[in-house]
Amino acid sequence: MFSAISKKFQWAEQSTLASLHDRPWSTIKMACTARRQDVIGVSLLSLSKLTDCAMDVNDAFSKLNEQILSYRYGSEDERKGGLNLINTTNLSYFDSIQKSELFRLKAEFLESLGGKTKATQAYCHAVQLCPTYTRAWISWGNLCWSLADLVETQGRRHMASSSAEDKEKKAANAKKVCQYLAQSMGCYLEAIRCDASEDSRINLPRCLIMLAKDGSCPGLLCTTFEKYATKLPSWIWLTWIPQLLSSLCRIEATSAKLLLQKVLSSYPQSAYFSLRSFYLERRDSERAKQSTVTKTTVNTSVLCAEDLMSNLRKCQPTLWSMLESILEELIIRFRPSYEEELLATISALLQRADSQIDHQRRANNSDEDAVRASFMKTLSRVSEKFFRVPNGHATPLKDQKAKKTLEFTMQYKDSFERDFFIQDDVKKKQLSLDDIFSKLNNWKDMLEKRVSSTPPIIPMTSMSQYLSAFSNNNPDLWTGSCDPPGSNSVESKKDSLENDKDSSPSSSAKAATKAAIVASAAVAAASALEGGGGSQGFGWTSVEIPGQYAPNSCSDAKPNPELHSKLIKFDTKVEVFQRNEHLVRRIGMVGSDGKVRQFLLQFAIPYWTKADERTTQLHLLLGKCLRKEPISCRRHLWIRSNAVIPIAQRLRMIAEDKSYTTLQDIFNLDCQLNGRDPLNSISAFNESLKTAVVPEESEMSLLNMTNKIDAFNKVCESVSSRLLSNYVQNRYATAELYFHFQRAFTLQTAMNCLLQYAFMVNERTPSKFIMNIRNAHVLSPDFRFSYTNQGFMDDIKPVPFRLTRNIQDFIGPFLLDGVFTTTIASASTAICKNEREIEQALQLICRDDIVSWYLSKSSQREGTQRSIQELEYQLADRVKKNVALIQSRFQHCSVKSLKDDETMKHDSCDYRVKELVSMATSTRNLVSMPSNYAAWL
């Protein structure tokens, strides 16, 4: 067809005829598709048919590029042929970007053939031809990274020896590694400066990881980072604000402070909550250690955070004052009562007891004395924390908080110390584990009755007069109205208009653009005269509803604050309900877009909040991988992060509207309708297990497993497996709506199960299985990695993920085999295809998580700057092994080709996922989980 069209217009000029490039474009596109499907012969055959076709320069370059790429991953002779094809190409017809791409490909061929020095020269030539070509900078950075890794591997051979000569070699190797890494970091950051796309921003975690190679003091890498990173746009760091805050405790504190200052000046509300929480936590930690550590060493991170807060207060006093007033009200008025905090502590102790006893049973280790001593120490610390008598309690108490503290202490202190013999060391040793657990359960029941008296709905006026009276106007939303003072967005647009040589030559278009800019400047000036918030308009002083910046949002692209929903007022009602055995408050924020966004105010230790922040980063990272690959896009797979906003050290906000419910809530509702106690099932199961203790003999162990299975089956007779199905069926009347919800729920549950298996987060109790009844979105609350005592991820679990009776029954056998398993396999394959791009980000997240976990468990809370650095060096090997374990689990679930494996030719390509499903639904594995897992639901 294309030949007939060209023949019809043979009378035209050759240049005009070459513009009819439908045939070249179609052929090149088909060759590209064939190459990506690894059908190289078809690709080359398609390109060979373009010899008798007129093409313009761009089509000729595309054809040449496809021919070269066809040889890139072939044999050595084929790669030499591709290199010769590049060397024999006449470059005079191509533009600078095309020439740079050809030299980049030449460097890749040279690198694959072992000529790394010549490859470096080719990359240098590529960036000289086009200094703004991003792909050349990224490829050059990858080469320098591989060279640094090679030198570091060679340097490990001299680690065991302690001779003077080997020490010199080690020092020379370390210096060489830093030089290669500095060059690699410069290439990555320069690529982002040229084009801040996703392909270039994916290397930001790698740059942050490199900084640890500088040692105990700032060196070449920190200097390079400060030189290039401060020139980048501030919005690219929004995703990695938690890492920048933790960098204030390391040697790169100066660079991190400059970057955070840029972020706060451009997007103050994106980092304010995290910065404030970090500052308060570090300040309290430093005050607690002030007597043992010198002041000059300790206060580095505190001074940096305090300086950032002070600058924000000076530059934007109106916004700072409004945010501080709101946060102060949330902290004071919505803080959990002392009874709630004590109940949460006792519940955590009981949960820890179940997991610890279960771990000992699996390890055949019954060291009861050590467990009892550990619990008694913990109970002593609990007593000291909650029942502390204020100094000078005989004087009149003016503070309401001090009055409540004294009343709580007088009411519960004597009973608590009498039950657990806190002051009597002799009787304390006579307590058995059963006595401790029994008394803890009695305290839990008593506190639950006290806490349950809280009304489910409380008016906002009785909680906080300030928040109930808070009101804000809907701001103007022209471009630049939310820019902070000093950004000069209007003036920069005027300058860009005058200097833009590639704009439309039409005088009317230029006049219209100029008139629009003048109008924006006039509106901004009028707003300044009215006192509406400075030279840029009223928008930047308006409080935004939290959770609209990365990583809490679904995208990490450049934000537009003028399009964000602004806080107009708070909802008039506060809901109070129980979640994860804790009492939580739900507040509503009315936005300028008319929507009411719901947030849960939860009591949590700092490690939990930090872990949830890293979880949002992880979801955003994996969501990118799913959007990039066709195998996951065709199945509409997605992961949505849940916004987590730290308010104080032990208080946080989590975005969750009223349509979310838990599996535990569904079970409690059924028990309420049938007049049963929800705790009866756990009590019945535990009573059956008391008579069956795991001995060392294998015959008795088998008998004990039989008793567990009998107890489990007995509980299953009283708990229906269709609780979830009936609950959803009551919400959706028609079969079509029910099926759509069922299929969406299957997709989301499969994604959730994959993350549970890959990151070893499989202790999912019914209260932690949360779903949205409107769109079947399944949340991952309290998504925390489980570690062994040595710091490795705990991969010894009976079940890989939660797929209990009610979930399995609701999904059904057809969706379980046809959608559930294929979803896990497809998502794993998509993530594995981007394994190299996300490896450093996983390493960064795992490093911060294990350091935070260690500091939360260690008696030495937040250490000094140097101790944190040393701790990271000690845990570096464990971090690498944990990341390798995570990647191996994704590989385990990915689609496997069975062509080369004759033993598996009769199995499906997702047979390993089916094995995991059978493990998750096995009765023998389910009864091995702790009783609070509630495997019968």
Side-chain angles (χ1 to χ4, degrees):
M1 182 183 67
F2 296 135
S3 299
I5 294 175
S6 301
K7 186 177 180 180
K8 185 67 176 177
F9 292 95
Q10 281 184 351
W11 50 268
E13 296 181 1
Q14 192 69 16
S15 59
T16 305
L17 191 62
S19 62
L20 301 175
H21 56 277
D22 290 341
R23 177 182 173 187
W25 183 88
S26 301
T27 306
I28 294 170
K29 196 67 177 177
M30 185 174 67
C32 178
T33 305
R35 175 180 58 81
R36 291 179 177 177
Q37 297 296 328
D38 202 18
V39 191
I40 305 300
V42 176
S43 177
L44 294 175
L45 180 62
S46 301
L47 295 174
S48 64
K49 295 181 180 181
L50 289 178
T51 55
D52 58 343
C53 177
M55 292 182 292
D56 58 6
V57 177
N58 292 330
D59 289 333
F61 173 77
S62 300
K63 176 189 174 183
L64 176 64
N65 190 42
E66 282 301 321
Q67 287 177 330
I68 295 172
L69 292 176
S70 299
Y71 299 114
R72 182 168 55 173
Y73 299 115
S75 62
E76 184 177 353
D77 293 336
E78 290 176 344
R79 282 176 283 163
K80 289 182 179 179
L83 182 60
N84 293 332
L85 182 60
I86 298 175
N87 292 331
T88 57
T89 301
N90 186 5
L91 304 181
S92 59
Y93 297 102
F94 302 133
D95 58 20
S96 60
I97 296 179
Q98 294 168 346
K99 292 177 182 177
S100 180
E101 171 64 14
L102 290 176
F103 273 97
R104 188 190 70 85
L105 292 175
K106 178 181 178 179
E108 286 189 355
F109 279 101
L110 289 171
E111 182 183 357
S112 64
L113 294 171
K116 295 185 180 295
T117 304
K118 293 183 179 179
T120 302
Q121 296 174 358
Y123 281 129
C124 183
H125 201 174
V127 297
Q128 286 177 351
L129 288 171
C130 185
T132 59
Y133 188 50
T134 306
R135 295 188 65 186
W137 287 111
I138 295 176
S139 299
W140 196 2
N142 293 336
L143 174 62
C144 297
W145 173 271
S146 63
L147 290 173
D149 189 42
L150 179 62
V151 174
E152 189 175 10
T153 304
Q154 295 174 351
R156 292 196 186 102
R157 301 172 185 173
H158 308 286
M159 293 294 291
S161 178
S162 59
S163 62
E165 183 179 356
D166 288 336
K167 287 183 179 180
E168 292 179 0
K169 289 182 179 180
K170 286 190 289 186
N173 281 336
K175 183 178 180 181
K176 199 171 183 180
V177 168
C178 288
Q179 290 174 351
Y180 279 129
L181 290 178
Q183 189 173 0
S184 176
M185 180 189 295
C187 292
Y188 290 143
L189 297 178
E190 184 66 21
I192 299 174
R193 190 188 67 83
C194 297
D195 182 18
S197 61
E198 281 192 8
D199 294 334
S200 56
R201 296 201 310 272
I202 198 66
N203 293 306
L204 281 176
R206 181 172 294 185
C207 296
L208 294 174
I209 284 287
M210 292 181 195
L211 296 172
K213 297 293 183 180
D214 255 347
S216 58
C217 59
L220 179 61
L221 289 170
C222 290
T223 304
T224 305
F225 184 75
E226 184 175 352
K227 177 181 178 182
Y228 291 99
T230 53
K231 299 178 182 178
L232 302 180
S234 57
W235 61 269
I236 67 170
W237 301 104
L238 295 179
T239 307
W240 307 105
I241 283 177
Q243 281 71 28
L244 291 180
L245 289 173
S246 63
S247 294
L248 296 177
C249 305
R250 302 186 180 93
I251 57 175
E252 65 269 18
T254 304
S255 305
K257 179 184 175 183
L258 293 176
L259 296 177
L260 288 170
Q261 185 63 51
K262 287 189 64 177
V263 172
L264 289 171
S265 62
S266 302
Y267 309 100
Q269 300 186 58
S270 64
Y272 176 76
F273 300 100
S274 300
L275 174 63
R276 186 181 186 275
S277 177
F278 173 83
Y279 167 68
L280 295 177
E281 180 187 352
R282 293 297 304 171
R283 185 194 63 182
D284 295 345
S285 175
E286 302 297 352
R287 286 179 178 176
K289 300 189 302 100
Q290 201 168 16
S291 59
T292 59
V293 185
T294 58
K295 187 175 181 179
T296 56
T297 306
V298 172
N299 289 337
T300 305
S301 59
V302 179
L303 290 177
C304 290
E306 187 176 4
D307 193 18
L308 291 171
M309 294 284 292
S310 177
N311 290 337
L312 179 62
R313 182 171 62 250
K314 292 176 182 178
C315 297
Q316 303 187 25
T318 305
L319 177 63
W320 180 87
S321 176
M322 295 176 67
L323 289 174
E324 280 293 322
S325 300
I326 293 175
L327 292 182
E328 185 178 357
E329 287 292 315
L330 291 176
I331 293 171
I332 296 176
R333 305 297 181 184
F334 292 85
R335 180 182 176 86
S337 63
Y338 292 112
E339 286 85 357
E340 295 175 30
E341 293 187 15
L342 183 58
L343 175 61
T345 303
I346 292 177
S347 300
L349 283 175
L350 289 172
Q351 186 175 358
R352 170 189 161 191
D354 289 339
S355 61
Q356 204 165 15
I357 292 175
D358 177 71
H359 182 74
Q360 287 187 350
R361 283 174 179 172
R362 287 190 276 114
N364 290 330
N365 181 17
S366 58
D367 190 3
E368 183 176 342
D369 293 337
V371 177
R372 185 188 57 79
S374 174
F375 269 92
M376 293 309 300
K377 289 182 180 179
T378 304
L379 289 172
S380 298
R381 290 197 297 266
V382 170
S383 176
E384 182 181 355
K385 174 185 174 182
F386 283 96
F387 308 120
R388 186 183 307 164
V389 178
N391 294 329
H393 58 277
T395 60
L397 296 174
K398 300 180 181 179
D399 188 16
Q400 189 70 20
K401 181 180 178 181
K403 289 182 180 180
K404 292 182 179 180
T405 303
L406 185 59
E407 292 175 359
F408 176 79
T409 302
M410 295 177 63
Q411 185 176 2
Y412 295 104
K413 180 181 179 181
D414 294 338
S415 301
F416 190 86
E417 292 182 350
R418 184 172 56 253
D419 285 347
F420 297 102
F421 304 112
I422 301 298
Q423 304 296 336
D424 194 342
D425 294 336
V426 178
K427 293 183 178 180
K428 185 187 301 184
K429 295 180 180 179
Q430 298 176 358
L431 279 176
S432 63
L433 279 179
D434 292 336
D435 295 335
I436 295 175
F437 298 156
S438 176
K439 292 183 178 182
L440 284 176
N441 281 313
N442 293 336
W443 272 87
K444 180 182 177 182
D445 295 339
M446 182 265 295
L447 291 173
E448 282 181 345
K449 292 179 181 178
R450 300 285 179 89
V451 169
S452 61
S453 61
T454 305
I457 297 178
I458 303 176
M460 179 63 80
T461 53
S462 61
M463 293 291 294
S464 172
Q465 291 288 342
Y466 176 81
L467 295 183
S468 63
F470 180 87
S471 179
N472 197 8
N473 296 324
N474 194 355
D476 297 327
L477 296 179
W478 70 86
T479 303
S481 61
C482 294
D483 294 341
S487 59
N488 296 326
S489 61
V490 177
E491 287 76 5
S492 62
K493 290 180 180 179
K494 288 182 179 180
D495 297 337
S496 62
L497 179 64
E498 295 174 357
N499 299 327
D500 190 6
K501 299 179 181 179
D502 298 329
S503 59
S504 174
S506 172
S507 58
S508 59
K510 186 176 294 186
T513 306
K514 186 175 181 180
I517 294 177
V518 172
S520 298
V523 174
S527 177
L529 291 176
E530 293 175 2
S535 59
Q536 303 303 315
F538 184 74
W540 70 273
T541 61
S542 300
V543 178
E544 300 176 0
I545 293 181
Q548 301 185 77
Y549 292 94
N552 292 319
S553 61
C554 298
S555 173
D556 61 345
K558 182 179 180 180
N560 296 310
E562 60 270 11
L563 301 181
H564 288 178
S565 179
K566 306 300 187 295
L567 177 61
I568 301 299
K569 62 178 181 179
F570 286 87
D571 199 0
T572 57
K573 296 180 180 179
V574 178
E575 296 184 19
V576 183
F577 59 96
Q578 197 167 6
R579 172 71 58 81
N580 293 338
E581 299 182 348
H582 300 166
L583 211 62
V584 297
R585 277 87 173 162
R586 176 186 282 135
I587 62 174
M589 297 185 182
V590 182
S592 57
D593 55 357
K595 298 180 181 179
V596 180
R597 290 168 173 81
Q598 307 289 335
F599 289 91
L600 296 184
L601 287 166
Q602 286 187 338
F603 172 79
I605 62 176
Y607 168 66
W608 293 357
T609 303
K610 292 177 182 178
D612 288 340
E613 287 180 336
R614 286 186 286 269
T615 301
T616 59
Q617 293 177 318
L618 191 64
H619 287 173
L620 182 63
L621 188 70
L622 299 180
K624 288 183 181 180
C625 299
L626 297 178
R627 291 194 297 268
K628 287 173 62 177
E629 300 300 327
I631 190 173
S632 54
C633 288
R634 283 195 296 263
R635 289 171 173 80
H636 307 287
L637 304 182
W638 52 275
I639 300 177
R640 179 177 298 172
S641 58
N642 198 31
V644 179
I645 298 94
I647 301 298
Q649 300 97 310
R650 295 181 174 270
L651 188 65
R652 63 181 179 179
M653 283 199 311
I654 297 181
E656 183 181 320
D657 57 27
K658 299 179 180 179
S659 58
Y660 283 98
T661 186
T662 67
L663 188 61
Q664 184 67 43
D665 294 338
I666 297 174
F667 177 63
N668 293 341
L669 180 62
D670 180 76
C671 292
Q672 183 180 359
L673 294 176
N674 295 312
R676 297 198 310 266
D677 188 359
L679 299 177
N680 286 343
S681 56
I682 297 180
S683 301
F685 187 76
N686 289 333
E687 288 294 331
S688 302
L689 293 182
K690 281 185 178 180
T691 59
V693 181
V694 179
E696 295 183 359
E697 293 80 2
S698 59
E699 294 82 3
M700 294 302 293
S701 299
L702 182 61
L703 180 62
N704 181 69
M705 178 59 67
T706 304
N707 293 333
K708 283 185 176 182
I709 294 176
D710 293 340
F712 175 78
N713 293 331
K714 185 177 180 180
V715 174
C716 289
E717 292 176 0
S718 60
V719 178
S720 174
S721 62
R722 290 192 54 83
L723 296 178
L724 180 59
S725 303
N726 295 334
Y727 181 82
V728 177
Q729 194 170 3
N730 293 333
R731 295 299 189 276
Y732 295 94
T734 63
E736 182 180 2
L737 294 176
Y738 181 86
F739 173 75
H740 282 301
F741 183 90
Q742 185 184 26
R743 190 179 187 280
F745 176 84
T746 304
L747 292 173
Q748 284 291 294
T749 305
M751 294 300 306
N752 195 276
C753 291
L754 173 62
L755 297 183
Q756 292 178 36
Y757 171 70
F759 295 96
M760 283 66 77
V761 190
N762 49 12
E763 293 184 357
R764 301 277 89 188
T765 59
S767 59
K768 295 180 182 179
F769 188 87
I770 305 177
M771 69 172 184
N772 193 325
I773 197 61
R774 290 190 295 106
N775 56 13
H777 178 214
V778 178
L779 289 181
S780 301
D782 301 329
F783 192 87
R784 291 185 288 274
F785 306 158
S786 57
Y787 296 101
T788 62
N789 294 331
Q790 291 77 25
F792 298 102
M793 284 191 169
D794 188 8
D795 58 341
I796 305 177
K797 297 292 182 180
V799 295
F801 43 75
R802 184 177 188 92
L803 192 61
T804 49
R805 297 169 59 240
N806 273 271
I807 303 173
Q808 185 182 2
D809 186 270
F810 177 62
I811 293 176
F814 297 105
L815 290 179
L816 188 65
D817 294 335
V819 176
F820 186 86
T821 55
T822 56
T823 297
I824 293 181
S826 302
S828 301
T829 305
I831 294 171
C832 289
K833 287 184 178 180
N834 297 271
E835 180 179 349
R836 182 189 167 277
E837 287 79 5
I838 67 174
E839 180 180 1
Q840 301 304 320
L842 286 177
Q843 187 173 348
L844 185 66
I845 292 173
C846 290
R847 183 200 70 180
D848 289 353
D849 188 78
I850 193 173
V851 169
S852 181
W853 169 81
Y854 181 85
L855 293 174
S856 67
K857 299 295 182 183
S858 175
S859 58
Q860 177 195 4
R861 304 297 177 182
E862 298 288 337
T864 63
Q865 175 179 334
R866 184 175 180 180
S867 65
I868 291 180
Q869 295 277 149
E870 293 176 352
L871 180 60
E872 290 178 357
Y873 295 149
Q874 295 173 2
L875 300 175
D877 292 337
R878 302 173 195 181
V879 171
K880 291 182 180 179
K881 291 181 180 179
N882 289 339
V883 172
L885 179 59
I886 293 171
Q887 292 177 336
S888 66
R889 291 206 161 195
F890 279 121
Q891 289 285 353
H892 182 82
C893 296
S894 61
V895 176
K896 298 293 187 300
S897 177
L898 304 177
K899 295 180 181 179
D900 301 330
D901 194 352
E902 295 295 333
T903 60
M904 298 295 180
K905 60 182 179 180
H906 299 296
D907 292 334
S908 59
C909 59
D910 57 351
Y911 66 95
R912 292 182 176 176
V913 179
K914 294 180 179 179
E915 291 176 356
L916 294 177
V917 172
S918 63
M919 291 173 57
T921 56
S922 171
T923 304
R924 179 178 291 270
N925 294 335
L926 288 173
V927 298
S928 301
M929 296 297 291
S931 58
N932 63 345
Y933 187 78
W936 46 84
L937 283 181

